[in-house]
Amino acid sequence: MAKNNKNISMAVIRRLPKYHRYLKELLDKEVYRISSKELSVMMGFTASQIRQDLNNFGGFGQQGYGYNVEELYREIQKILGLTITYRTVIIGSGNLGQAIANYTNFQKYGFKLLALFDTNPKLIGMKIRDVPVFDIDELQEFIEQKQVDIGIICTPKEFAQDIANKLVKTGVSAIWNFAPVDLKVPEHVIIENVHLSDSLFILSYLLSNQENF
Amino acid sequence: MAKNNKNISMAVIRRLPKYHRYLKELLDKEVYRISSKELSVMMGFTASQIRQDLNNFGGFGQQGYGYNVEELYREIQKILGLTITYRTVIIGSGNLGQAIANYTNFQKYGFKLLALFDTNPKLIGMKIRDVPVFDIDELQEFIEQKQVDIGIICTPKEFAQDIANKLVKTGVSAIWNFAPVDLKVPEHVIIENVHLSDSLFILSYLLSNQENF
C-alpha cells in the first residue's frame, strides 16, 4: 500500500517515530479511528501538516472516517523497518550501556541484543537481562561469527573512534553512537549520533532567553 | 557583539551545539583560526551555510583570515546560555540517571547537579560522584528550598507525567525528559525531550532502505 519509500523526504521520515509513538499510545487506549484534527491537537503539528505527511503512504485517511489507527501504525512500522530483526551489540557496559541494554522496548521492535563488551574486569562475565558482557578483545571475532548488524557505542569519547574503526572493519552495517564525538566512518556505514549535550544546550538556550529568568 | 538573539531562527540555534562541539575540538588541538571552507569539510555543512549561520552573531569572519576560533566559541557559549549556572536535580537514579550524573562535562558547562531522587530503598542514601540520592518524597521540599532550575526525568515512562506535574508545581523552569513519552506541561515551562527510540528508528529506516541489506 505504501508508495516507494525513496520518494518520501527525510524531513517526513524524521517525524515518523513521533507518529509511531502517538499511534501506539492510541492503540494502547483502544482508540482505532482518529481524525487529522484530533491527531493535530495531540501531537502539536497542524492538521494540514499531518494530512500532507500521511498522504505519503497512500490513502489511509477517509473523509468522515479519519485514519485507521492500526493500519497507519503498521504501515509506519514497515516504513521504519521495524518489522525486521536486527542483531546488535553494545560496546561500553557502564551505566549508559546498561541503561540501553535494559530498554526491553528495543527488543520488542526487533533490536536483538546479543552481547555487551567492556574492558573492565569487574563487568566482564556479568549478565544484563541474561545478555553476557564479554571482553572487548573478543569483539571482532564475535561480530564476524554472529553477523551483527548494529554496533551501539556507549564508551567514553576517547575510545569511540577506535571502536568505530573496528566495527567497520568487521562489516557492521550501522553504528548508533552515544559518545559525544562525531565519528568518521566510510559512506556505506550508517551512523546515528545521540548527542545528549546538544539537547541540553538547546534547553539552556531556551531557559536563558526566557523573559523571567 | 552578538545581535539580538531573538532574531536568530530556531533552525540556526539547533545547529549551534554542533558548532560548539567542533570549535571546542579545534581549541583542544590549539587551532585558533579556521576558514569557513575548513569548517565545512569538518562538519559536513556547506561553506555558504556556515557563513550564513555565523553571520547571525556579527562579524567574526574576516577575508583572508577566517574565523577566530576562540572568539566564536565564546560567543556561541554565551548565546546558548552556557555562561550561566543552572541548578539541576535528577529524578530516577537507575542506570540512566546515574549515567547522566556521571557526565562531568555537564557540570563544566554550568549544570550543577544538587541531588538525585528515587523510590528504591537500595539507591536512597547512595552517592553518585558525591551527589546524594534522596527519597522521592523529599523532592518538592528540596526544589523549593534549593531553587532548582532544571528537573531531569530519568524514570520509567509510567511515572514521568506525575513527576513532571510535581516539578511544575514547585516552580521548576525547565524539564529535560528522557522518559519515552511526550509530557504535558504549561506553556511557561521549557521542555526538551530525548527520545532515544526516535533516533534508533531512524537508524532502522536507513538500514532497511539500504541497497544491500
Side-chain angles (χ1 to χ4, degrees):
Chain A
M1 208 161 194
K3 299 177 189 175
N4 187 340
N5 289 351
K6 307 279 175 205
N7 297 331
I8 306 178
S9 81
M10 207 52 210
V12 177
I13 295 292
R14 291 222 164 251
R15 285 193 287 274
L16 291 189
K18 187 166 177 177
Y19 284 108
H20 184 269
R21 199 163 61 242
Y22 276 90
L23 293 167
K24 178 69 171 66
E25 240 173 68
L26 288 170
L27 284 178
D28 287 347
K29 289 183 196 149
E30 304 189 359
V31 177
Y32 298 109
R33 274 189 201 189
I34 190 131
S35 69
S36 52
K37 208 172 157 187
E38 290 164 307
L39 256 183
S40 153
V41 173
M42 283 174 60
M43 296 183 60
F45 295 163
T46 66
S48 112
Q49 164 102 77
I50 286 176
R51 281 192 298 268
Q52 259 182 49
D53 280 356
L54 300 187
N55 217 12
N56 280 292
F57 334 131
F60 289 99
Q62 285 167 37
Q63 279 237 309
Y65 178 93
Y67 293 96
N68 178 322
V69 175
E70 190 157 10
E71 220 176 315
L72 194 52
Y73 176 72
R74 304 236 165 275
E75 191 59 26
I76 289 176
Q77 277 208 309
K78 220 192 302 168
I79 295 169
L80 288 175
L82 299 177
T83 49
I84 300 170
T85 301
Y86 301 102
R87 302 162 69 83
T88 77
V89 297
I90 293 175
I91 304 99
S93 308
N95 282 313
L96 183 62
Q98 290 188 34
I100 306 283
N102 279 317
Y103 268 55
T104 48
N105 240 346
F106 294 160
Q107 188 90 8
K108 221 168 59 193
Y109 289 117
F111 301 91
K112 201 172 151 56
L113 180 63
L114 302 182
L116 296 96
F117 292 87
D118 211 283
T119 54
N120 184 344
K122 280 186 197 154
L123 296 173
I124 295 165
M126 265 182 65
K127 286 195 170 193
I128 317 287
R129 269 205 310 113
D130 288 332
V131 182
V133 181
F134 293 129
D135 190 312
I136 195 100
D137 286 343
E138 298 172 42
L139 178 67
Q140 280 168 282
E141 204 189 323
F142 185 94
I143 290 182
E144 281 163 359
Q145 279 185 1
K146 305 281 181 175
Q147 296 178 294
V148 171
D149 304 305
I150 304 173
I152 305 173
I153 300 183
C154 297
T155 65
K157 178 181 169 178
E158 51 273 32
F159 306 117
Q161 184 64 54
D162 180 48
I163 295 294
N165 296 346
K166 283 192 177 126
L167 292 173
V168 167
K169 223 169 110 187
T170 49
V172 150
S173 306
I175 293 174
W176 196 25
N177 173 42
F178 284 81
V181 56
D182 288 296
L183 301 175
K184 298 190 178 28
V185 297
E187 244 179 58
H188 70 274
V189 177
I190 290 159
I191 192 151
E192 262 287 307
N193 294 298
V194 179
H195 287 308
L196 297 183
S197 62
D198 286 15
S199 164
L200 183 60
F201 290 180
I202 294 299
L203 182 141
S204 164
Y205 167 81
L206 294 169
L207 199 47
S208 64
N209 281 273
Q210 213 182 22
E211 301 288 329
N212 304 316
F213 193 74
Chain B
M1 209 162 197
K3 297 177 188 175
N4 187 341
N5 288 352
K6 307 279 175 204
N7 297 331
I8 306 178
S9 81
M10 207 51 211
V12 177
I13 296 292
R14 291 223 164 252
R15 285 193 287 274
L16 291 189
K18 186 165 177 177
Y19 283 108
H20 184 268
R21 198 161 63 241
Y22 276 90
L23 292 167
K24 178 69 172 66
E25 239 174 69
L26 287 170
L27 284 177
D28 287 347
K29 290 182 194 149
E30 303 188 1
V31 177
Y32 298 109
R33 274 190 201 188
I34 190 132
S35 69
S36 51
K37 206 172 158 187
E38 289 165 306
L39 256 182
S40 154
V41 173
M42 282 175 62
M43 296 184 59
F45 296 163
T46 66
S48 111
Q49 163 101 77
I50 287 176
R51 282 192 298 267
Q52 259 182 48
D53 280 355
L54 301 186
N55 217 12
N56 280 293
F57 335 130
F60 288 101
Q62 284 167 38
Q63 280 237 309
Y65 178 94
Y67 293 96
N68 179 322
V69 176
E70 189 156 10
E71 220 175 316
L72 195 51
Y73 176 73
R74 304 235 164 275
E75 191 60 26
I76 288 175
Q77 278 208 309
K78 221 192 302 169
I79 295 169
L80 288 176
L82 299 177
T83 50
I84 300 170
T85 301
Y86 302 102
R87 301 162 69 83
T88 77
V89 296
I90 292 175
I91 305 98
S93 309
N95 283 314
L96 184 62
Q98 291 188 34
I100 308 282
N102 279 317
Y103 267 56
T104 47
N105 240 346
F106 294 159
Q107 188 89 11
K108 221 168 61 192
Y109 289 117
F111 301 90
K112 200 170 151 60
L113 181 62
L114 303 182
L116 296 96
F117 292 87
D118 211 282
T119 54
N120 183 345
K122 281 187 196 154
L123 295 173
I124 296 166
M126 264 181 66
K127 288 197 167 190
I128 318 286
R129 268 204 312 111
D130 287 332
V131 182
V133 181
F134 292 130
D135 190 311
I136 194 100
D137 286 343
E138 298 171 44
L139 178 66
Q140 281 169 283
E141 204 188 324
F142 186 93
I143 289 182
E144 281 163 359
Q145 279 185 0
K146 305 280 181 176
Q147 297 178 293
V148 172
D149 304 306
I150 304 173
I152 304 173
I153 300 183
C154 297
T155 66
K157 178 181 168 176
E158 52 273 33
F159 306 118
Q161 184 63 56
D162 180 49
I163 295 293
N165 296 346
K166 284 194 177 126
L167 292 174
V168 168
K169 223 168 111 188
T170 49
V172 150
S173 306
I175 293 174
W176 197 25
N177 173 43
F178 284 80
V181 56
D182 287 298
L183 300 175
K184 305 206 171 10
V185 297
E187 243 179 58
H188 68 273
V189 177
I190 290 159
I191 192 151
E192 262 287 307
N193 294 298
V194 179
H195 288 307
L196 297 183
S197 61
D198 287 15
S199 164
L200 183 59
F201 290 0
I202 294 298
L203 183 141
S204 164
Y205 167 81
L206 295 169
L207 198 47
S208 64
N209 281 274
Q210 213 182 22
E211 300 288 329
N212 304 315
F213 194 72

